[in-house]
Amino acid sequence: MDIRYSASPRDVRHYTTQELRDEFLIQNLYQPDQVVVVYSHVDRMVTVGCMLVSEVVPLDKGIDVWASFGTASFLERREIGIFNIGGPDAIRVDGKTYPMGHKDCLYITCGAKEVLFSSDYPASPAKFYMVSAPAHCSYETRLIKLEDAAKRPLGTMETSNKRVINQFIHPDVLQTCQLSMGMTVLEPGSVWNTMPAHTHERRMEIYAYFDLPEGNVVFHLMGQGQETRHIVLHNEEAVISPSWSIHAGAGTSSYTFIWAMGGENQAFDDMDNIPIPDLR
């Protein structure tokens, strides 16, 4: 397990490019039949990746759960959202199977004991992208298909940011303890996300970029509004965004990204907006 500690914005303004990447960038999430885990001390959010090839893989494969979380099982005091960004697959939760297609999402509530991953087509392996947040109560494990997500079209072609925000794990769709997740799809010709930029002092966020064509990158903007920095991300990489940081980006092509939030509330519009002319 890779552990990332909290960073002060006063320190981050002095970081080199490599120091920024070491603190906030998440790479190499999808290793064959392995569970890759990054634990962030920012709101104690956990990012997980798993690519299924030939095995049935448990969520806690290779993890010392007691040493990591102080619990008997991964989800004893946690909830988790799982997106499939690969081929068809299935997830088995405490004996119940949830078939998952490309871009489907499964929310698993706090208290689930056994979570098993499998893939139907090894030549087109399933890739699970997951984010887990601490939880103090249980709700309902639920599969959310892409067509069932709440849709919020935003932006225009004139501003190069025409996109659809698909809210999956969100109060308008289902009840959770604190985790919120969704997927934003940019239309061809659009490259900007989350601009004008904002922060939300009451929540942190994690972005995971994918569907980025080979040879292209996303310039992810971070830092305080008056002390901006950037990290270059490639396809299927993620980035941690503390509550004090903006989180926006421009790609060299269109792309898709999954956002995950955890913190004090689940109000999607609880944002501290920063006018574009005020950015530095």
Side-chain angles (χ1 to χ4, degrees):
M1 179 183 292
D2 182 4
I3 298 178
R4 308 289 180 89
Y5 292 95
S6 301
S8 165
R10 294 187 299 274
D11 296 332
V12 169
R13 67 180 63 180
H14 302 295
Y15 282 7
T16 66
T17 296
Q18 190 58 52
E19 287 172 326
L20 281 174
R21 294 173 70 84
D22 290 343
E23 285 288 342
F24 302 107
L25 180 63
I26 299 174
Q27 298 176 293
N28 304 314
L29 278 168
Y30 307 105
Q31 305 301 314
D33 297 325
Q34 300 300 314
V35 176
V36 179
V37 183
V38 177
Y39 185 112
S40 172
H41 276 262
V42 181
D43 286 305
R44 300 196 177 274
M45 300 283 273
V46 176
T47 303
V48 186
C50 183
M51 180 172 72
L52 284 302
V53 177
S54 60
E55 299 180 15
V56 176
V57 177
L59 173 61
D60 59 358
K61 181 179 180 179
I63 303 171
D64 186 334
V65 174
W66 178 258
S68 301
F69 307 117
T71 55
S73 62
F74 194 117
L75 297 177
E76 182 178 324
R77 293 184 60 83
R78 286 185 161 272
E79 57 189 352
I80 194 168
I82 304 173
F83 278 84
N84 176 25
I85 65 170
D89 61 11
I91 301 177
R92 192 168 181 84
V93 182
D94 291 339
K96 183 174 181 179
T97 300
Y98 298 87
M100 291 185 65
H102 185 60
K103 295 183 177 178
D104 287 346
C105 173
L106 180 66
Y107 168 76
I108 304 178
T109 190
C110 169
K113 291 181 172 58
E114 184 181 59
V115 179
L116 301 174
F117 305 128
S118 63
S119 183
D120 294 335
Y121 304 100
S124 178
K127 293 180 180 179
F128 295 111
Y129 172 74
M130 303 169 254
V131 176
S132 173
H136 61 269
C137 57
S138 298
Y139 291 101
E140 177 187 3
T141 295
R142 181 174 159 191
L143 175 65
I144 308 109
K145 311 289 284 186
L146 177 58
E147 57 267 26
D148 298 325
K151 314 290 185 184
R152 290 189 59 164
L154 290 175
T156 66
M157 292 303 298
E158 289 74 17
T159 51
S160 302
N161 67 347
K162 190 173 184 181
R163 62 203 189 277
V164 176
I165 298 175
N166 298 275
Q167 298 168 330
F168 285 80
I169 300 174
H170 185 273
D172 290 343
V173 179
L174 79 166
Q175 191 171 15
T176 67
C177 188
Q178 69 156 316
L179 183 66
S180 296
M181 293 183 73
M183 181 172 60
T184 299
V185 181
L186 275 71
E187 294 199 5
S190 288
V191 297
W192 278 102
N193 77 73
T194 325
M195 185 61 68
H198 65 264
T199 61
H200 21 76
E201 193 65 32
R202 295 147 295 278
R203 292 176 295 171
M204 68 89 73
E205 195 154 3
I206 301 169
Y207 274 14
Y209 292 95
F210 69 107
D211 280 354
L212 189 64
E214 185 175 357
N216 288 273
V217 299
V218 173
F219 288 81
H220 179 84
L221 303 182
M222 63 163 297
Q224 293 176 300
Q226 300 298 304
E227 286 282 349
T228 60
R229 300 291 186 268
H230 75 269
I231 298 178
V232 176
L233 274 80
H234 294 260
N235 191 42
E236 297 183 353
E237 294 183 339
V239 60
I240 298 167
S241 179
S243 60
W244 48 262
S245 177
I246 65 170
H247 34 281
T252 55
S253 78
S254 57
Y255 51 87
T256 300
F257 68 97
I258 296 168
W259 43 268
M261 291 185 284
E264 297 292 347
N265 64 46
Q266 295 177 304
F268 184 79
D269 294 320
D270 180 11
M271 304 172 185
D272 302 312
N273 293 301
I274 303 172
I276 292 175
D278 291 347
L279 292 170
R280 296 289 185 270

